[in-house]
Amino acid sequence: GAVVSQHPSRVICKSGTSVKIECRSLDFQATTMFWYRQFPKQSLMLMATSNEGSKATYEQGVEKDKFLINHASLTLSTLTVTSAHPEDSSFYICSAHSGSRGYGYTFGSGTRLTVV
Amino acid sequence: DAKTTQPPSMDCAEGRAANLPCNHSTISGNEYVYWYRQIHSQGPQYIIHGLKNNETNEMASLIITEDRKSSTLILPHATLRDTAVYYCIVRVPMEYGNKLVFGAGTILRVKS
């Protein structure tokens, strides 16, 4: 089946630094990747959608200069949280979709970011 | 812009069927209904999806009403490992492709 690998699973960083999270589709080519954020006891909130080779589309209220998304290849997307602050601490989850594999959206296992 | 409404929580006895309802009264004609579940601190796991017809796979069945305004996910023989948050999602069209917008979900507790 389709597998999406997300790395790192946990990261702690100091306030003001940047953190990069990787999302890889291991056995299929992902034409579209999605990034979600989830706060404790809340649902997943879509942050942005990226198509390979083009700029990401951000949801309303998400700062594109703070959350940099790169989808340089059909198997890799990265999310960089720039100048992180404690309020950015959250669970970040990616999802990948291939139009050629039907209607499935496969999720990564998530990254727990803690900013201290 | 979540388009689904679910009860916040439900309990189910182990071995019995779990029936999870979802309301999506504003769904459009070409929007699919997806179900995912999430076990604590993990990524969501795909369960099933459908458009108009009822669907069944090895995990569950999806019953969609004729007017498509609601659906029910059925786990035929719930086990303790089915305890999770279940999300009913409407796939929303974008300029290029579609996206999944999650609602609040239902916490299903399977009890022995």
Side-chain angles (χ1 to χ4, degrees), chain A residues 10 32 34 36 38 42-46 49 51 59 91 93 95 97 102-110 112, chain B residues 1 32 34 36 38 40-46 49 87 89 91 94 96-105:
Chain A
R10 291 178 179 272
T32 308
F34 306 86
Y36 293 81
Q38 185 176 32
Q42 294 187 22
S43 183
L44 283 74
M45 184 195 79
L46 181 63
T49 302
N51 292 295
E59 295 295 306
F91 192 52
I93 309 170
S95 174
H97 173 67
Y103 301 92
Y105 296 77
T106 305
F107 286 79
S109 55
R112 175 75 58 193
Chain B
D1 56 344
Y32 280 75
Y34 281 73
Y36 279 75
Q38 185 180 30
H40 182 64
S41 294
Q42 297 182 23
Q45 176 191 19
Y46 169 80
H49 75 278
Y87 294 102
I89 304 158
R91 193 184 72 175
M94 304 183 295
Y96 301 105
N98 302 280
K99 62 183 178 181
L100 300 183
V101 179
F102 283 69

Side-chain angles (χ1 to χ4, degrees), chain B:
Chain B
D1 56 344
K3 301 181 71 171
T4 62
T5 304
Q6 299 175 253
S9 64
M10 293 181 64
D11 290 339
C12 176
E14 188 178 22
R16 304 297 295 269
N19 296 276
L20 291 90
C22 178
N23 181 290
H24 33 79
S25 58
T26 61
I27 196 170
S28 298
N30 61 347
E31 292 178 339
Y32 280 75
V33 177
Y34 281 73
W35 283 83
Y36 279 75
R37 71 182 182 184
Q38 185 180 30
I39 296 171
H40 182 64
S41 294
Q42 297 182 23
Q45 176 191 19
Y46 169 80
I47 302 173
I48 200 166
H49 75 278
L51 181 63
K52 295 180 184 178
N53 300 321
N54 298 338
E55 302 287 347
T56 296
N57 62 21
E58 64 278 5
M59 287 183 71
S61 294
L62 174 60
I63 308 299
I64 303 175
T65 57
E66 194 170 339
D67 62 8
R68 302 214 320 123
K69 291 182 184 292
S70 65
S71 61
T72 301
L73 176 74
I74 301 172
L75 306 179
H77 305 287
T79 70
L80 297 178
R81 286 181 293 183
D82 291 323
T83 294
V85 180
Y86 286 77
Y87 294 102
C88 171
I89 304 158
V90 170
R91 193 184 72 175
V92 177
M94 304 183 295
E95 183 175 358
Y96 301 105
N98 302 280
K99 62 183 178 181
L100 300 183
V101 179
F102 283 69
T106 295
I107 299 171
L108 175 68
R109 300 184 189 92
V110 180
K111 300 184 175 182
S112 59

Side-chain angles (χ1 to χ4, degrees), chain A residues 65-96:
Chain A
D65 294 331
K66 180 168 185 61
F67 299 99
L68 301 180
I69 292 171
N70 184 281
H71 191 166
S73 77
L74 285 171
T75 59
L76 174 65
S77 177
T78 60
L79 167 69
T80 301
V81 182
T82 63
S83 186
H85 291 284
E87 57 265 30
D88 298 323
S89 298
S90 188
F91 192 52
Y92 293 86
I93 309 170
C94 71
S95 174

